[in-house]
């Protein structure tokens, strides 16, 4: 199968076959990171711009690591170090970046739809590294990869997602991706953190945390995104932890071999207790490891794979 997409903007625009191709490609890429010399020449001569308007540890560093492991040249620019602070628009900035002939622009932006806006105006590939509350496709893909690796499948699994769904681009992309791949997704949050119409993405809403985690194969905890909440949407963190935090008692309601996930960064003691975050069932750091392989696969598919085979 050829991968024909120029851009990776959201999970909605990928079909299940494309998702499977990305996961299979990432699985092959993973071995490169286990070699003594973690570098292959696959994208030698390609240029990748990492344009991050918001802070990031995992996403930025794993995209950068992925580019370097494939021998591409990666260049980083942040909002504060760009001429955006002098009033240049995002589109003008993107057109100027394009004039330097990059092959891929990776964009993280606080505004939903920003990567879609520039993708229409530049010839190079655009990868969305998280836009506002809208989408975080590479996170969802690495999450699906991590579950498939641990459970051997996605189809038929019970996936529980708990936390600040309203402000979470990860939740939206994960719900869309996991349900597209045949999982049953159940979400739970205080009513103030459940957006209208979220069921249309392919999930059901549980009335409480206990119902949500009962019989779960996968429990995904999400951070409360205080930076995106105008007014805090619950009285205190202690009350939030008491009603919606993952602790031993609640974990006991899930399947015995349930895995625990979190996209990071975690608020230990709020949405997840420290002993569970560090427990045997936690695959939180495996998610980070898979993030590098998954992003290598995305670079390969948009900048070096079958889309470019005829010109190689
Ligand atoms: N999961 C995630 O997007 O983490 P960062 O914000 O650290 O990139």
């Amino acid at each position: 199968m050829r991968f024909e997409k120029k851009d990776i903007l959201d999970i909605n625009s990928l079909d299940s076959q494309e998702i499977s191709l990305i996961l299979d490609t990432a699985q092959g890429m993973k071995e490169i990171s286990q070699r003594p010399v973690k570098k292959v020449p696959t994208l030698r001569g390609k240029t990748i711009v990492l344009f991050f308007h918001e802070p990031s540890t995992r996403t930025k560093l794993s995209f950068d690591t992925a580019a370097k492991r494939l021998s591409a040249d990666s260049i980083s620019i942040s909002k504060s170090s760009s001429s955006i602070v002098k009033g240049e628009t995002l589109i003008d900035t993107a057109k100027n970046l394009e004039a330097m002939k990059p092959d891929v622009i990776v964009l993280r932006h606080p505004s939903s739809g920003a990567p879609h806006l520039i993708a229409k105006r530049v010839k190079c590939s655009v990868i969305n590294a998280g836009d506002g509350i809208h989408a975080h496709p590479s996170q969802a893909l690495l999450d699906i990869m991590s579950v498939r690796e641990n459970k051997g499948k996605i189809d038929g699994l019970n996936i529980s997602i708990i936390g600040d769904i309203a402000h979470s681009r990860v939740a939206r992309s994960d719900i869309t991706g996991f349900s597209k791949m045949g999982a049953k997704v159940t979400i739970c949050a205080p009513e103030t953190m459940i957006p209208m119409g979220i069921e249309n993405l392919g999930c059901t809403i549980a009335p409480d945390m206990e119902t949500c985690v009962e019989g779960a194969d996968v429990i995904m905890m999400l951070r409360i995104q205080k930076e995106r909440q105008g007014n805090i949407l619950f009285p205190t963190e202690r009350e939030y932890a008491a009603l919606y935090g993952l602790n031993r008692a609640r974990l006991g309601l899930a399947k015995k071999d349930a895995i625990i996930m979190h996209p990071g960064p975690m608020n230990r003691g709020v949405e997840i207790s420290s002993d569970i975050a560090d427990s045997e069932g936690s695959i939180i750091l495996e998610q980070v490891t898979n993030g590098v392989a998954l992003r290598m696969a995305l670079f390969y598919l948009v900048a070096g794979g079958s889309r470019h085979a005829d010109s190689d």
Side-chain angles (χ1 to χ4, degrees), residues 3 69 74 109 147 166 224 259:
F3 190 81
R69 294 214 170 139
S74 62
H109 201 279
V147 172
I224 297 164
I259 53 174

Side-chain angles (χ1 to χ4, degrees), residues 162 209 213 219-221 240-252 254 259-261 269-277 279:
I162 300 118
M209 175 98 180
V213 297
I219 302 176
M220 164 100 61
M221 301 306 298
Y240 181 87
L243 288 170
Y244 298 98
L246 185 60
N247 54 29
R248 284 277 160 205
R250 289 185 175 132
L251 183 58
I259 53 174
I260 298 123
M261 303 176 73
V270 182
E271 72 269 11
I272 189 165
S273 66
S274 251
D275 67 317
I276 290 179
S279 69

Side-chain angles (χ1 to χ4, degrees), residues 188-208:
C188 184
E191 272 179 45
T192 48
M193 295 184 196
I194 296 187
M196 290 258 288
I198 190 78
E199 303 96 314
N200 296 334
L201 296 183
C203 64
T204 55
I205 304 169
D208 52 52

Side-chain angles (χ1 to χ4, degrees), residues 55-59 108 136 139 263-265:
S56 168
T57 298
R58 283 148 287 271
T59 312
R108 169 168 286 194
H136 196 344
Q139 179 71 45

